[in-house]
Amino acid sequence: MDQVQVGVFLSDGGNQLTKILDYNAITEFVKKVAGVVFVARGSEFWRGQGLQTMVDAIREGKVNRVVVAETLPKLSEVKIANAIEDAGLNHYLMEFIDLKDHCASPHQKTPSEATEKAKAMLLGAIERAKLLEPLEKLEFPALKSSLVVGGGIAGMQTAIDLADFGFEVSLIEKEPFLGGLAAQAGRFFPTDDCAICIQSPSSDIKTITHTSRKCVYRSGFTEIPNLNILTNSRVVAVEGVPGNYKVTVEKTPRYVDEDKCVQCDLCTAVCPVEVPDEHNARLRTRKAIYINVPHVHPPTYVIDGSVCKFHDCAKCVDICPTKAVDLDQRSEKVTMSVGSIIVATGFKEFNSSAIKEYHYGEYPDVVTNLELARMIDGFGPTGGVVVRPSNMKPAKKIVMIQCVGSRDQRYKPYCSSICCMISIKHATLIKSAYPNSDITICYIDIRTTGREHEYYYEKAREMGIKFVKGRPTEILRDPEKGKLIVDVEDALLSRFLELEADLVVLAPAMIPADGAKKLAEIIGIETEEDGFFKEYNAKLRPTETKLKGVYIAGGATFPKDAPTTSLHAHSAAMKAVKFLHTGKIVKDQRTAVINEDYCGDCEFCPVTCPYGAITLEQKDGEHFVAKVSDLLCEGCGICVGTCPQNAIELRHCRTDQMQAQMKALMSINGTSKPLVLAICCSECGHAAVDSSGMAKMEYPANVRVMKVPCVGILQVHQFLDAFKAGAQGVMVVGCKIDGCHYEVGSQKTEKKVELTKILLKEYGVEPERLEMLNMVFIEGDKFAEAAQMMTERLEKLGSLQTFGGS
Amino acid sequence: MDTRFSDEITGRPGGETITRCYQCGTCASSCPVAKLDSRFNPREIIKLSLLGEKEEILSGDPIWLCCSCYNCQERCPQKVEIADIIYAIRNIAFKKGYIPKIYSEFASALTTEGRIGKVSKFVENKRAGVGLPTLQPTGIEALEKIFAATGFSKLSQKKEETQ
Ligand SMILES: Cc1cc2nc3c(=O)[nH]c(=O)nc-3n(C[C@H](O)[C@H](O)[C@H](O)COP(=O)(O)OP(=O)(O)OC[C@H]3O[C@@H](n4cnc5c(N)ncnc54)[C@H](O)[C@@H]3O)c2cc1C
Ligand code: SF4
Ligand code: SF4
Ligand code: SF4
Ligand code: SF4
């Protein structure tokens, strides 16, 4: 390795810091530190002449390590890093400190102490800088292709976006037809347009304006050349890495050839098998060979293999004029390589029969919203007439019950968020078609939060739809007349009502699609407790999962209305494009590395890594050693903090670097108070320290800050090292337990801190000398207060003898 | 108004779930008493308690009208333990000396005879008619120990003074 030549660039923030810090003394001090060959002092180094000085020093070969003390940390750090990269120095060879917010501001009342602390901070940075090594840029190949799972509006929209962008897209749907819920809902609020209307792809030569939208069945989207649609299909295996997944899909037979079927409907006439039509609320029957509605996509009949008599009958084969029926089709496995996977499996209605007192499944005239939607739809089983399924006569008196299974601690505690609007939509559609119908909606709270949604509610009241605030306790059936009676309290009037009804419509909770959990396992992503797919961070990373290259769109994350589903779908597509569009994944090698000589047959790190970046590989035919995937590793260091053999190092935060910095920070006190080392994560923990300085909150200068990527990197021995280095007290400042940027770092370290406290006690050291804090940026006041309290506590405890110091 | 009344209730065994109530009225429409007697509505008892109307709740009749059928509790979508909450409130009321006459009669019958009611001739005859033996006086020694340990004897004394 080259001789280490450290350049130190000391900004005094346009002279503002010189009022507190003695820059002459600091400069003199720095000049004498071994390894420092170049010291510059100026008003700023992140732009203009200052930055040029630094760039020149690098270009001229004077320095190969850079220590910068700046005053506008976040902004300037990035600018400087870019500039030194351009000047030919790897930006990992820079160490950055903030003499303003971490020193001058919080210690302005004790300028000489602040000056001594500044020296210690600079020394810490220099010692660390000397041990820094350049990190490479890594490139991984990425396929510009995607698999979209689920052919509802979310999946279709995502597929259109990606295909429009030129990606190779496979859209797979487990049912024989596309559309998902939209294929059943009829009309959609808030526009009251057809549910199956989707945006046309830009490749549709018949619709070249951006306003164009079309029904699924006539939308050119199915004709996009780089979009492959597989119905009757499911994912059975996923292997590989982000950017390059190998997916196996099982396609169950349709028994009818998509290229031959002409939708003549002759087959259904001869098919002898008749079963209830699930798609149409079981209000009519269908044959073993069928389509749901005439406008399905693909426009091809399908045979229900679970009921067909196959070669014992074969009537459809004989009658089919195009010889489209093939009873000998078999399931086939299709494999594909894709750069990304988008899960768009949607949701479904909760089974309301769980709530016994509503007698769903027992009283035929108790139906669900989705079943009612089929009746309202002109293509549905009743041709658009709302009937009582018990006698198929029109239903005049209709009672709707909201929150069936939703907002219910016994079933689904969450609000399903769309069912108030669905019921109001249904009520208004029925009322406009049949003004004499008598409709009552029993609700707990009405939730109409989207644009135009409240207007729907208003319109419903205007039309004479009645609203009763109360959740019915029971639905009774008059044994003679067969009428239903809904027993409810109008809670606004404290009055008991027995509402007579021809038809009761339940608004069931919306729950994840069948098989969501299994699919999550196959892909390797997480689900929430309620079974919906887990979004990585609802605020910052919507539609992303923890696994790079895997996204979720639409109702698969939570029940949503169609506009939100659309938005979500566009977002997922955009994320996939952003990830893959260059055909490669580029990242720094800020990763963990295993020392195979120490690593031995344990399984701690593979289990601990929050990103599944570590696998065990056989070595010498008998031993297993851990192996880190540079692609998956996020560089948190949690594995380092877990490894019992100290066999793992983080390339950008090695143990020797940490120790050197610690020692340096503790080598100069300059105050009469006991030294405290605050080890902060570089995320919220460090930001909290920033904010205490920004807000000029005071705490004593004996408190010194050291940054690590995540507090999860810390081990028990590192806390002891800090005491050995001379700290009388140690503060560990991480993100909030449930807000850790690396998921489990704070949580794991909290436990390690507890354990260390027990150890300290064994050594005869007061455990109060060690403290874990969990903060966010805006809690700078808490940091200042904790630093102050730690100092006072240590003063009371007196000097620490056990570790001797060094 | 006592804004801490709901804390007092949640602090008592059985009272923990009161804050979950979102006033859906399932309990009221499940309640056989509420449908017969307009003074009683479990949803209203919960609402008034959450609003801190302590005096009104403790001094009024409604809390004593619940027949403990647990229909409400069975059906409440928020798993509010309504009947148990009413017990918790009754206990608070009892402590404060708000005790309906019938309950104090039960209490004194219990402390003197070991039963909450006197066994009438009618009952004796009925028992004999179906072949059951005559009821023997119960010993109240064991009960007295329980009363002393739980503070019941003191409470019922206090109430007697206040009445
Ligand atoms: C009764 C009802 C009425 C509604 N009315 C309105 C309305 O008026 N306005 C409005 O804005 N919204 C309405 N919605 C909501 C709207 O339907 C949804 O927002 C939208 O359909 C969700 O689309 P999606 O693609 O996310 O999910 P879905 O429509 O559920 O589509 C998911 C698809 O994935 C498939 N799938 C599931 N699992 C797998 C698997 N493992 N492998 C392959 N495929 C799989 C499913 O078969 C389905 O086709 C209504 C919903 C319901 C239930
Ligand atoms: S072979 Fe099957 S689908 Fe065809 S007519 Fe017979 S039962 Fe129906
Ligand atoms: S949207 Fe309305 S009906 Fe649906 S769970 Fe929420 S409050 Fe209940
Ligand atoms: S540094 Fe973090 S992400 Fe990388 S292997 Fe270790 S635990 Fe996993
Ligand atoms: S049923 Fe439960 S949630 Fe509803 S009003 Fe009664 S106590 Fe409250």
Side-chain angles (χ1 to χ4, degrees):
Chain A
M1 198 175 72
D2 301 350
Q3 180 75 31
V4 170
Q5 298 160 294
V6 183
V8 180
F9 300 86
L10 270 171
S11 150
D12 56 23
N15 253 335
Q16 53 165 322
L17 299 193
T18 53
K19 292 182 199 113
I20 298 154
L21 303 178
D22 180 345
Y23 266 75
N24 291 335
I26 294 170
T27 314
E28 285 316 306
F29 168 80
V30 169
K31 279 183 179 162
K32 291 194 196 105
V33 177
V36 175
V37 296
F38 187 98
V39 180
R41 185 184 148 186
S43 60
E44 56 181 17
F45 284 96
W46 61 284
R47 59 183 173 187
Q49 190 49 45
L51 188 58
Q52 195 56 46
T53 313
M54 192 187 305
V55 167
D56 290 344
I58 295 167
R59 288 229 170 96
E60 287 159 19
K62 288 185 191 151
V63 303
N64 57 17
R65 296 288 185 284
V66 173
V67 170
V68 191
E70 249 305 347
T71 56
L72 285 167
K74 295 300 158 265
L75 181 61
S76 49
E77 188 168 358
V78 178
K79 289 220 180 208
I80 297 168
N82 284 328
I84 66 173
E85 277 278 337
D86 287 346
L89 190 70
N90 187 284
H91 75 268
Y92 286 96
L93 299 178
M94 169 179 77
E95 192 58 24
F96 191 97
I97 58 169
D98 177 3
L99 286 184
K100 186 183 174 198
D101 291 334
H102 286 204
C103 188
S105 295
H107 316 312
Q108 50 192 306
K109 295 221 174 109
T110 51
S112 63
E113 294 188 0
T115 300
E116 294 307 304
K117 172 167 169 178
K119 289 182 190 167
M121 286 170 70
L122 279 157
L123 186 62
I126 295 165
E127 294 307 328
R128 189 178 143 85
K130 287 189 205 165
L131 298 169
L132 292 176
E133 279 183 278
L135 295 187
E136 278 177 64
K137 270 221 174 337
L138 305 174
E139 276 190 19
F140 304 88
L143 298 169
K144 288 196 235 180
S145 55
S146 299
L147 169 76
V148 180
V149 188
I153 48 177
M156 292 191 288
Q157 187 62 65
T158 312
I160 290 173
D161 284 356
L162 289 168
D164 271 353
F165 199 84
F167 276 35
E168 285 297 325
V169 183
S170 296
L171 173 63
I172 71 158
E173 166 58 54
K174 73 171 162 51
E175 298 295 324
F177 305 103
L178 294 179
L181 292 169
Q184 285 178 283
R187 282 172 196 275
F188 268 170
F189 67 78
T191 40
D192 269 354
D193 60 352
C194 313
I196 51 143
C197 184
I198 58 168
Q199 183 202 312
S200 298
S202 55
S203 61
D204 181 350
I205 53 168
K206 302 278 277 176
T207 53
I208 41 171
T209 69
H210 82 282
T211 50
S212 46
R213 41 182 217 180
K214 280 187 172 181
C215 326
V216 172
Y217 82 97
R218 63 191 187 109
S219 160
F221 111 89
T222 56
E223 300 313 312
I224 306 174
N226 47 330
L227 172 62
N228 176 26
I229 301 172
L230 294 172
T231 48
N232 265 352
S233 300
R234 277 176 184 274
V235 174
V236 290
V238 174
E239 283 166 33
V241 289
N244 206 333
Y245 290 108
K246 292 220 168 10
V247 183
T248 311
V249 170
E250 184 170 52
K251 186 168 168 43
T252 47
R254 178 171 211 103
Y255 302 109
V256 182
D257 189 335
E258 288 185 34
D259 295 331
K260 290 190 186 153
C261 175
V262 290
Q263 275 193 290
C264 64
D265 205 29
L266 292 173
C267 50
T268 60
V270 295
C271 176
V273 178
E274 204 164 332
V275 290
D277 183 356
E278 291 288 337
H279 180 83
N280 284 303
R282 293 180 310 279
L283 287 176
R284 70 174 174 210
T285 56
R286 63 157 167 82
K287 295 297 180 66
I289 187 163
Y290 70 101
I291 51 172
N292 290 336
V293 282
H295 49 278
V296 287
H297 188 87
T300 307
Y301 280 63
V302 60
I303 290 179
D304 175 352
S306 67
V307 293
C308 170
K309 296 177 190 301
F310 290 101
H311 289 290
D312 291 345
C313 159
K315 292 203 169 94
C316 55
V317 178
D318 299 338
I319 199 135
C320 178
T322 63
K323 298 282 163 254
V325 181
D326 174 4
L327 295 176
D328 298 318
Q329 263 184 13
R330 291 284 165 266
S331 285
E332 52 176 325
K333 290 226 167 104
V334 183
T335 56
M336 49 186 91
S337 294
V338 291
S340 65
I341 299 173
I342 291 102
V343 177
T345 50
F347 53 89
K348 62 167 209 167
E349 284 185 341
F350 158 82
N351 182 355
S352 303
S353 65
I355 300 177
K356 296 270 180 288
E357 49 275 23
Y358 290 167
H359 303 278
Y360 174 73
E362 183 190 344
Y363 297 170
D365 298 338
V366 178
V367 300
T368 70
N369 259 334
L370 197 57
E371 289 164 349
L372 177 64
R374 295 313 303 138
M375 291 197 227
I376 297 173
D377 184 357
F379 281 105
T382 54
V385 186
V386 177
V387 301
R388 307 180 62 190
S390 60
N391 58 11
M392 297 305 269
K393 296 223 175 88
K396 285 231 173 67
K397 282 190 172 177
I398 300 170
V399 175
M400 299 182 172
I401 303 180
Q402 298 308 106
C403 303
V404 176
S406 298
R407 309 179 65 203
D408 190 324
Q409 301 289 343
R410 301 164 302 175
Y411 307 101
K412 306 293 157 191
Y414 53 84
C415 164
S416 297
S417 76
I418 54 172
C419 14
C420 280
M421 279 301 291
I422 296 173
S423 299
I424 294 174
K425 172 189 71 175
H426 286 163
T428 53
L429 286 174
I430 298 170
K431 194 80 179 172
S432 11
Y434 306 98
N436 288 333
S437 50
D438 173 357
I439 307 175
T440 307
I441 299 182
C442 300
Y443 68 96
I444 307 175
D445 299 286
I446 288 286
R447 297 187 170 170
T448 53
T449 53
R451 173 172 284 276
E452 301 285 317
H453 291 190
E454 184 64 14
Y455 166 69
Y456 251 74
Y457 184 19
E458 191 188 315
K459 188 171 84 179
R461 298 194 304 271
E462 210 175 275
M463 292 174 92
I465 289 153
K466 291 178 271 182
F467 288 84
V468 169
K469 182 183 159 51
R471 180 184 174 281
T473 181
E474 195 164 359
I475 301 170
L476 305 157
R477 186 167 57 175
D478 180 331
E480 272 141 51
K481 285 189 267 168
K483 287 243 173 198
L484 299 174
I485 293 155
V486 177
D487 185 351
V488 62
E489 182 204 19
D490 184 324
L492 298 177
L493 300 173
S494 295
R495 194 175 289 174
F496 297 107
L497 308 176
E498 291 188 352
L499 303 171
E500 248 193 41
D502 298 326
L503 184 72
V504 175
V505 185
L506 309 180
M510 303 296 170
I511 60 169
D514 290 334
K517 194 137 204 129
K518 183 148 179 247
L519 182 63
E521 272 165 29
I522 292 173
I523 302 176
I525 55 175
E526 293 169 308
T527 52
E528 300 277 3
E529 219 168 280
D530 55 29
F532 285 103
F533 287 91
K534 187 171 174 171
E535 256 171 329
Y536 190 55
N537 180 316
K539 183 182 93 182
L540 307 168
R541 303 272 193 89
T543 68
E544 289 179 47
T545 68
K546 207 164 75 178
L547 202 54
K548 282 177 218 158
V550 179
Y551 309 96
I552 343 166
T557 64
F558 200 67
K560 290 180 179 58
D561 60 15
T564 320
T565 297
S566 245
L567 204 65
H568 215 235
H570 289 309
S571 161
M574 212 282 286
K575 300 278 171 79
V577 167
K578 209 166 117 181
F579 184 56
L580 301 168
H581 74 107
T582 58
K584 60 189 183 205
I585 301 161
V586 181
K587 72 185 284 252
D588 288 346
Q589 200 177 17
R590 290 162 46 94
T591 55
V593 56
I594 310 277
N595 183 335
E596 293 191 2
D597 295 338
Y598 297 164
C599 172
D601 288 325
C602 88
E603 279 183 39
F604 282 15
C605 63
V607 176
T608 315
C609 173
Y611 306 98
I614 308 185
T615 45
L616 290 182
E617 283 192 3
Q618 208 161 24
K619 190 194 167 198
D620 318 332
E622 42 173 336
H623 293 294
F624 281 93
V625 292
K627 195 165 159 42
V628 177
S629 152
D630 279 341
L631 175 57
L632 295 176
C633 174
E634 291 284 323
C636 60
I638 293 171
C639 54
V640 177
T642 309
C643 177
Q645 307 285 354
N646 295 329
I648 318 179
E649 286 281 20
L650 214 52
R651 292 178 211 266
H652 53 296
C653 189
R654 296 196 318 251
T655 310
D656 60 337
Q657 295 164 345
M658 285 191 267
Q659 276 173 346
Q661 188 177 11
M662 239 183 230
K663 266 193 193 153
L665 282 169
M666 297 291 107
S667 66
I668 303 169
N669 188 336
T671 78
S672 56
K673 298 188 170 75
L675 282 168
V676 176
L677 183 68
I679 311 177
C680 303
C681 75
S682 54
E683 308 295 345
C684 300
H686 204 251
V689 182
D690 286 347
S691 86
S692 67
M694 286 174 186
K696 300 198 164 46
M697 286 156 184
E698 285 170 41
Y699 58 89
N702 55 308
V703 179
R704 309 285 156 84
V705 173
M706 186 176 100
K707 189 160 81 165
V708 292
C710 167
V711 291
I713 193 176
L714 301 170
Q715 282 231 30
V716 174
H717 66 78
Q718 261 136 353
F719 303 130
L720 303 182
D721 281 349
F723 287 113
K724 277 189 207 148
Q728 301 275 306
V730 176
M731 294 162 70
V732 181
V733 192
C735 300
K736 297 278 178 194
I737 297 291
D738 53 6
C740 175
H741 287 52
Y742 300 102
E743 314 227 340
V744 295
S746 279
Q747 179 199 329
K748 294 218 178 288
T749 299
E750 190 179 50
K751 290 195 186 118
K752 287 182 269 186
V753 166
E754 285 315 307
L755 181 69
T756 313
K757 284 184 173 184
I758 298 170
L759 271 178
L760 288 176
K761 224 175 176 172
E762 292 288 310
Y763 284 133
V765 174
E766 303 82 354
E768 310 90 279
R769 289 182 186 271
L770 176 63
E771 182 182 22
M772 168 113 190
L773 300 150
N774 302 93
M775 292 181 179
V776 292
F777 166 68
I778 50 175
E779 291 177 331
D781 54 335
K782 279 197 191 157
F783 175 78
E785 193 188 326
Q788 178 69 38
M789 278 164 56
M790 173 61 98
T791 305
E792 285 168 16
R793 201 154 62 223
L794 295 175
E795 281 177 324
K796 272 192 207 125
L797 291 176
S799 158
L800 171 65
Q801 303 301 335
T802 318
F803 294 101
S806 59
Chain B
M1 241 237 323
D2 178 350
T3 47
R4 305 202 53 87
F5 187 39
S6 67
D7 292 343
E8 197 176 337
I9 298 169
T10 50
R12 282 191 155 263
E16 301 90 341
T17 55
I18 188 166
T19 53
R20 286 206 207 128
C21 172
Y22 56 23
Q23 292 289 301
C24 70
T26 309
C27 51
S29 53
S30 317
C31 174
V33 179
K35 286 191 174 160
L36 293 175
D37 189 332
S38 62
R39 286 176 301 166
F40 182 68
N41 181 318
R43 181 184 55 75
E44 288 179 350
I45 289 181
I46 292 190
K47 184 73 188 176
L48 288 167
S49 303
L50 290 171
L51 289 176
E53 297 297 349
K54 181 172 176 177
E55 212 37 52
E56 179 181 345
I57 288 291
L58 296 186
S59 65
D61 291 340
I63 52 169
W64 303 100
L65 297 176
C66 167
C67 71
S68 308
C69 67
Y70 281 77
N71 268 1
C72 54
Q73 199 155 322
E74 190 69 23
R75 294 210 171 147
C76 170
Q78 285 300 310
K79 287 194 184 165
V80 177
E81 295 168 354
I82 305 134
D84 295 336
I85 287 165
I86 292 175
Y87 274 118
I89 299 176
R90 283 176 180 176
N91 279 325
I92 297 170
F94 194 88
K95 260 204 159 148
K96 290 245 166 203
Y98 292 116
I99 304 156
K101 198 149 179 285
I102 178 125
Y103 280 87
S104 46
E105 281 169 12
F106 284 164
S108 51
L110 198 60
T111 44
T112 51
E113 310 197 11
R115 284 201 180 89
I116 58 168
K118 278 210 163 86
V119 181
S120 62
K121 260 260 124 2
F122 174 77
V123 172
E124 288 289 15
N125 290 342
K126 209 135 200 212
R127 289 178 65 89
V130 294
L132 288 170
T134 23
L135 280 170
Q136 300 303 312
T138 55
I140 58 164
E141 298 75 29
L143 279 175
E144 271 168 351
K145 272 187 204 153
I146 296 172
F147 294 155
T150 55
F152 184 81
S153 8
K154 251 196 239 151
L155 278 173
S156 36
Q157 264 163 28
K158 191 168 117 203
K159 141 247 106 185
E160 257 143 37
E161 284 155 25
T162 55
Q163 279 197 342

